[in-house]
Amino acid sequence: MYSQLRAQNQVLKKAVVDEQANSASLKEQLKQRDQSLRKQEQEMDSLSFRNQQLAKRVELLQEELAVSEAKGKKGKSKGDSPSQHGLQTQSVFDEDLQKKIEENDCLCFCIYFFYEADEQHRRQEAELKARLEELEKDAEQHQTAVDLLTTKYVETIERLQSDKARLEVKSQTLEREAKECRMRTEECQQQLRRCQSELNRQVKQSSSVIQEKVPFNDTSEYLLSVDCAVFLWIQLKARDVAGQALSFIQDLVAALLNFHSYTEQRVHIYPLDSSIEPISPLNQKFSQYLHENAAYVRPLEDSFLQLYQSITEDTVTVLETVVKLKSFADNFSTYTHFLQKILPYQLKSLEEECEAPLCTTALTAKNKELQSDTKKVTSVFEKLQNYINLLALPSRLTSTSAVFTQLAACLHSLHDAIKEMSKHYNQKAGIEQELPTVTQKLCTTTECLLGSLGSLTSSTGKIATFFSNNLDFFTSSGYNPRGCTVALNPLQAESMLANKKKAAIYINAIKKSVPYREALSNRRILTSSTESREGLTQQVQQSQEKIARLEQEKEHWLLEAQLGKVRLEKENQRIADLEAQLAAALGGSPNSQTAAASTLAQSQEEAETELRATGKETTLCTSLVGMLCTTPTVEHVGDEESREQLIKTHYMARVGELTTQLQISDSKAVHFHSECRALAKRLTIAEKSRETLSDDVKMANQNITRLQDELATTKRSYEDQLSMMSDHLCSMNETLSKQREEIDTLKLGSKGNAKKNKGR
């Protein structure tokens, strides 16, 4: 979308530049008219000066004539010879005066003519100035429109960049989710592998059972020794492969139709636009052939559809029995002949583009590369035609696997050739967009042509990979009897189909039932499987209860171990104190020794009493934590308090851990909830921005079309005005030439009158 708007902006800029160039040319014409007006004014000044000189000359001549007449009156008394001389001089003066009068009349007429021309030139100058002002106003309006569009485009670019940033954030979140999904998929794949291994084991077991105990063949007759199960699988596989091939053929046909149609449109636009001037006869013939492409391309899809419909479960699909393949081969041959027919016109059209005046060297090189690509594509189609014709006549083949292998290689070469053509067309389109004379129509047609080439490349690639993946199925022996390498012939196929129909009728005639022994065995298997499942569930429950009980015992013994550690530390401390007292007693007085001995005896007695008490009674201690049975000792109060404290600390630590885990999980849930809400808001914002952008783009397209229409109307009005001005100038030139002719005729008439007067 942005590239289209940018191209349209460039077109508007070019239009503004053209209008500025037109205004500059009009200014130059105005300057030239001013210069010619100044020249005419100078000529008028010179003519008026000359007229004044002639008027003075006439006055002098009149004065001289008066003087000569006065002298003639005085000299009447003289003889005849002086009077005759005076008459001659008088006649000379009269002729000179007549000539001067005629010249004066001519000068007056020229002055009047130049005055009218001056007035007309001034009027034209005023009109041109007014037109120049209008053109300048239009140019300013166009410039403001271009500025508005550039600001809109900048705003749209900024919006798109912000959307890009938001989408990048969204993509990061989606990547994190994708990682989690990958982990889940890995787990699912592991489960799938386990299931596949189990299913493969079951398939092997069932296949071995089927091969050993469930035969579907009749080995006594060679013609009937074909597995019905294999037959059904091959038929289903053939129908599936034909359906996939049909979808690929439909894509290929659509891509070829678009490619030929857009090529026809391009021929009408470039190098000559048929709406402005007629194209060359060669391109006319080429466009006529391209217009008939549907008659050659559509039968490919129709014939292959008939081929797909002919493959059913009730038929045997081999090359000898597939009759519709011949019609597909014939239609493919007609399309190949169509490509051969349009190949020279296509090459000549590219040469004509190279001969265009604005064709650069890089564009010429790309056209030559496209010529070689077109030849290569046509040759590959010819190879495909030969291989398909061979498959349509299997009786002439010695090895079908070799033909299928060569056909797969040929399809890959076709994909490579069309890919190269698409790459060269892309490079050529990039070079053409830099030309100054490129139009919007040509840009859109080129983009459509590149899109059709892309779809053609993808469809040929899909067909090539599809054929390579199913090459083993195509080259397999197919319906061959067990233990025999000879393929199935049409007689075997007919007999097998007849037997299949008989078997279907027989199976439908009998009632569907299961033998009693088989039903009992199935019942035993079912009951044993359900009993084993119930036993396993009970074992799982018992093991879970045992695990819970062991966990409780583990907690109890951990607490007992901690209490034992505390007791051991206290006993060690007490023993150390007693040893210190004993050492002090041994090193002191006999009184102190006796005191120490008495204390030792007391301690021994207390220990004995404790031991006796332990064997006699136990006490039950209750607290906030729970109930605990203990044996009373000397320091039972301190042990109970320490035990209570340890149990409290242990459970408080456990409660703290659980609360932290709960808080972490709550924070994660809140975080995920906020992220989901933010993503939902971003999604709504993105949808709203997309809608606004689409509306803006529509408005921009409408404005562009409106500006293009206005530009076209202004161009037409300017052309009409220029044509009217040229017609007016032609009429003025004609009137000037007529006036000159009239002046010449008047001059000749005045000269003839003068000669007549002289003769008189």
Side-chain angles (χ1 to χ4, degrees), residues 255-268:
L256 288 172
L257 287 171
N258 292 329
F259 175 68
H260 292 311
S261 300
Y262 291 130
T263 305
E264 180 187 358
Q265 293 180 11
R266 182 181 168 83
V267 167
H268 282 286

Side-chain angles (χ1 to χ4, degrees), residues 135-238:
L135 290 174
E136 287 178 351
K137 289 180 181 178
D138 293 336
E140 289 177 357
Q141 290 178 359
H142 287 304
Q143 188 64 35
T144 53
V146 169
D147 294 335
L148 289 172
L149 287 173
T150 51
T151 53
K152 285 183 181 179
Y153 295 154
V154 169
E155 290 176 357
T156 53
I157 288 165
E158 290 177 355
R159 286 200 207 99
L160 290 172
Q161 286 178 353
S162 62
D163 292 338
K164 182 182 178 183
R166 287 197 295 271
L167 291 172
E168 284 179 353
V169 174
K170 187 176 179 181
S171 66
Q172 290 176 0
T173 56
L174 290 173
E175 284 178 358
R176 289 196 295 270
E177 292 177 358
K179 287 181 181 178
E180 295 177 358
C181 291
R182 287 194 198 97
M183 295 173 66
R184 293 175 185 172
T185 51
E186 287 178 357
E187 294 176 358
C188 293
Q189 285 178 357
Q190 290 177 0
Q191 293 178 1
L192 182 63
R193 291 192 193 97
R194 289 195 293 270
C195 292
Q196 284 180 350
S197 62
E198 181 66 23
L199 289 173
N200 289 326
R201 185 182 63 78
Q202 292 179 3
V203 165
K204 287 180 181 178
Q205 185 178 0
S206 61
S207 62
S208 63
V209 170
I210 288 168
Q211 288 179 0
E212 291 175 358
K213 298 181 179 180
V214 189
F216 288 98
N217 60 342
D218 188 1
T219 55
S220 62
E221 289 291 335
Y222 173 74
L223 295 176
L224 304 178
S225 59
V226 180
D227 285 345
C228 295
V230 175
F231 159 74
L232 184 60
W233 178 82
I234 291 173
Q235 283 300 115
L236 294 175
K237 178 69 174 176

Side-chain angles (χ1 to χ4, degrees), residues 309-363:
Q309 291 174 353
S310 65
I311 299 172
T312 60
E313 295 181 2
D314 297 331
T315 59
V316 178
T317 305
V318 290
L319 290 176
E320 289 82 0
T321 58
V322 179
V323 183
K324 299 295 181 180
L325 183 61
K326 185 68 172 64
S327 62
F328 176 73
D330 295 337
N331 291 322
F332 196 85
S333 299
T334 55
Y335 178 68
T336 307
H337 293 318
F338 169 71
L339 290 179
Q340 292 173 356
K341 182 171 65 173
I342 66 171
L343 178 61
Y345 294 98
Q346 198 166 3
L347 299 177
K348 290 291 184 181
S349 178
L350 292 171
E351 289 178 359
E352 189 173 344
E353 289 183 7
C354 294
E355 292 173 359
L358 294 176
C359 185
T360 60
T361 55
L363 197 57

Side-chain angles (χ1 to χ4, degrees), residues 7-268:
Q8 292 172 1
N9 191 7
Q10 290 179 358
V11 172
L12 287 174
K13 284 183 179 179
K14 288 178 183 178
V16 173
V17 170
D18 294 336
E19 291 296 329
Q20 290 176 355
N22 290 328
S23 63
S25 65
L26 290 173
K27 286 180 181 179
E28 289 293 331
Q29 291 178 4
L30 187 60
K31 288 180 182 179
Q32 291 177 1
R33 294 292 177 84
D34 289 334
Q35 290 176 0
S36 63
L37 182 61
R38 291 192 191 95
K39 287 180 182 180
Q40 290 176 1
E41 287 178 353
Q42 289 176 0
E43 289 178 358
M44 280 183 66
D45 293 335
S46 62
L47 289 171
S48 61
F49 179 71
R50 180 65 176 164
N51 192 6
Q52 290 175 2
Q53 286 182 350
L54 291 172
K56 290 179 181 179
R57 179 69 174 164
V58 168
E59 289 176 358
L60 290 173
L61 289 172
Q62 286 177 356
E63 289 175 358
E64 288 178 0
L65 181 60
V67 172
S68 63
E69 286 177 355
K71 287 180 180 180
K73 288 179 181 179
K74 290 179 181 179
K76 281 182 181 180
S77 61
K78 294 182 181 181
D80 295 332
S81 61
S83 63
Q84 290 177 357
H85 182 69
L87 290 170
Q88 290 177 357
T89 55
Q90 176 111 14
S91 64
V92 170
F93 283 130
D94 290 336
E95 289 178 0
D96 194 5
L97 181 61
Q98 186 68 30
K99 288 180 181 179
K100 297 299 180 180
I101 290 166
E102 290 176 357
E103 288 180 359
N104 193 8
D105 292 334
C106 290
L107 288 172
C108 289
F109 183 75
C110 290
I111 288 166
Y112 177 73
F113 175 72
F114 280 119
Y115 177 74
E116 287 185 352
D118 187 14
E119 289 293 331
Q120 189 176 3
H121 184 269
R122 285 177 182 172
R123 288 197 298 271
Q124 290 178 358
E125 183 180 0
E127 291 176 357
L128 290 173
K129 283 182 179 178
R131 186 183 173 192
L132 182 61
E133 289 177 356
E134 290 178 358
L135 290 174
E136 287 178 351
K137 289 180 181 178
D138 293 336
E140 289 177 357
Q141 290 178 359
H142 287 304
Q143 188 64 35
T144 53
V146 169
D147 294 335
L148 289 172
L149 287 173
T150 51
T151 53
K152 285 183 181 179
Y153 295 154
V154 169
E155 290 176 357
T156 53
I157 288 165
E158 290 177 355
R159 286 200 207 99
L160 290 172
Q161 286 178 353
S162 62
D163 292 338
K164 182 182 178 183
R166 287 197 295 271
L167 291 172
E168 284 179 353
V169 174
K170 187 176 179 181
S171 66
Q172 290 176 0
T173 56
L174 290 173
E175 284 178 358
R176 289 196 295 270
E177 292 177 358
K179 287 181 181 178
E180 295 177 358
C181 291
R182 287 194 198 97
M183 295 173 66
R184 293 175 185 172
T185 51
E186 287 178 357
E187 294 176 358
C188 293
Q189 285 178 357
Q190 290 177 0
Q191 293 178 1
L192 182 63
R193 291 192 193 97
R194 289 195 293 270
C195 292
Q196 284 180 350
S197 62
E198 181 66 23
L199 289 173
N200 289 326
R201 185 182 63 78
Q202 292 179 3
V203 165
K204 287 180 181 178
Q205 185 178 0
S206 61
S207 62
S208 63
V209 170
I210 288 168
Q211 288 179 0
E212 291 175 358
K213 298 181 179 180
V214 189
F216 288 98
N217 60 342
D218 188 1
T219 55
S220 62
E221 289 291 335
Y222 173 74
L223 295 176
L224 304 178
S225 59
V226 180
D227 285 345
C228 295
V230 175
F231 159 74
L232 184 60
W233 178 82
I234 291 173
Q235 283 300 115
L236 294 175
K237 178 69 174 176
R239 187 166 176 80
D240 186 18
V241 169
Q244 294 178 12
L246 177 61
S247 64
F248 294 142
I249 291 292
Q250 288 173 351
D251 295 339
L252 179 65
V253 167
L256 288 172
L257 287 171
N258 292 329
F259 175 68
H260 292 311
S261 300
Y262 291 130
T263 305
E264 180 187 358
Q265 293 180 11
R266 182 181 168 83
V267 167
H268 282 286

Side-chain angles (χ1 to χ4, degrees), residues 494-672:
E494 185 178 358
S495 61
M496 186 174 66
L497 290 174
N499 290 330
K500 183 185 176 186
K501 290 178 181 179
K502 290 180 181 179
I505 293 167
Y506 173 73
I507 290 171
N508 290 325
I510 63 174
K511 294 181 180 180
K512 295 182 180 179
S513 62
V514 179
Y516 182 71
R517 291 181 180 178
E518 186 177 354
L520 288 176
S521 64
N522 292 333
R523 175 71 177 173
R524 283 195 297 272
I525 292 168
L526 183 61
T527 53
S528 63
S529 62
T530 53
E531 288 173 358
S532 62
R533 186 180 65 183
E534 290 174 356
L536 288 172
T537 53
Q538 289 177 1
Q539 289 179 6
V540 168
Q541 290 177 359
Q542 291 175 2
S543 61
Q544 287 178 354
E545 291 173 357
K546 189 175 181 181
I547 289 166
R549 190 170 59 255
L550 289 173
E551 288 288 335
Q552 292 176 359
E553 291 178 0
K554 178 183 176 183
E555 293 288 335
H556 174 70
W557 288 116
L558 284 172
L559 291 171
E560 289 293 332
Q562 290 179 359
L563 292 172
K565 285 182 181 179
V566 172
R567 288 177 182 176
L568 181 62
E569 289 175 357
K570 288 183 178 180
E571 289 293 329
N572 290 329
Q573 187 177 3
R574 190 166 65 80
I575 290 167
D577 293 333
L578 290 173
E579 287 177 354
Q581 291 177 5
L582 183 60
L586 291 173
S589 62
N591 293 324
S592 62
Q593 290 178 358
T594 56
S598 64
T599 55
L600 286 170
Q602 288 177 359
S603 64
Q604 287 177 358
E605 289 176 358
E606 289 175 356
E608 287 177 356
T609 56
E610 287 176 0
L611 290 171
R612 288 170 189 163
T614 55
K616 291 181 180 179
E617 61 180 354
T618 59
T619 59
L620 185 65
C621 298
T622 60
S623 64
L624 294 172
V625 178
M627 298 175 65
L628 182 67
C629 294
T630 58
T631 57
T633 59
V634 177
E635 46 191 13
H636 65 278
V637 178
D639 291 339
E640 287 176 359
E641 291 178 356
S642 62
R643 188 182 302 111
E644 286 278 342
Q645 191 66 29
L646 286 170
I647 292 169
K648 283 181 181 179
T649 53
H650 173 72
Y651 279 107
M652 289 300 289
R654 189 70 181 273
V655 168
E657 290 177 359
L658 292 173
T659 52
T660 53
Q661 290 178 1
L662 183 61
Q663 289 175 357
I664 290 167
S665 62
D666 289 335
S667 63
K668 285 183 178 179
V670 171
H671 177 66
F672 289 145

Side-chain angles (χ1 to χ4, degrees), residues 354-513:
C354 294
E355 292 173 359
L358 294 176
C359 185
T360 60
T361 55
L363 197 57
T364 305
K366 294 301 171 188
N367 285 329
K368 290 182 180 178
E369 289 177 354
L370 284 173
Q371 286 179 348
S372 63
D373 292 336
T374 307
K375 292 178 183 177
K376 189 175 180 181
V377 169
T378 307
S379 64
V380 172
F381 267 103
E382 290 175 0
K383 290 181 181 178
L384 284 173
Q385 173 196 353
N386 294 328
Y387 291 130
I388 292 171
N389 287 329
L390 284 174
L391 291 175
L393 298 173
S395 59
R396 299 181 182 179
L397 290 176
T398 57
S399 176
T400 57
S401 60
V403 177
F404 278 116
T405 306
Q406 292 296 325
L407 185 59
C410 194
L411 287 171
H412 281 289
S413 62
L414 177 63
H415 172 62
D416 296 335
I418 293 175
K419 190 176 181 182
E420 287 293 322
M421 183 188 289
S422 178
K423 183 178 74 175
H424 293 155
Y425 253 113
N426 276 313
Q427 295 172 357
K428 180 183 176 182
I431 296 169
E432 283 180 351
Q433 286 182 356
E434 298 175 357
L435 295 176
T437 58
V438 67
T439 59
Q440 184 63 31
K441 190 190 295 183
L442 180 61
C443 290
T444 53
T445 305
T446 306
E447 288 178 359
C448 294
L449 185 61
L450 292 175
S452 63
L453 276 173
S455 61
L456 188 61
T457 305
S458 64
S459 60
T460 51
K462 289 177 182 177
I463 290 171
T465 53
F466 161 75
F467 204 86
S468 299
N469 293 332
N470 293 292
L471 188 61
D472 295 333
F473 175 72
F474 291 136
T475 56
S476 62
S477 58
Y479 303 99
N480 56 344
R482 285 187 179 181
C484 182
T485 58
V486 180
L488 188 70
N489 54 26
L491 183 60
Q492 287 178 332
E494 185 178 358
S495 61
M496 186 174 66
L497 290 174
N499 290 330
K500 183 185 176 186
K501 290 178 181 179
K502 290 180 181 179
I505 293 167
Y506 173 73
I507 290 171
N508 290 325
I510 63 174
K511 294 181 180 180
K512 295 182 180 179
S513 62

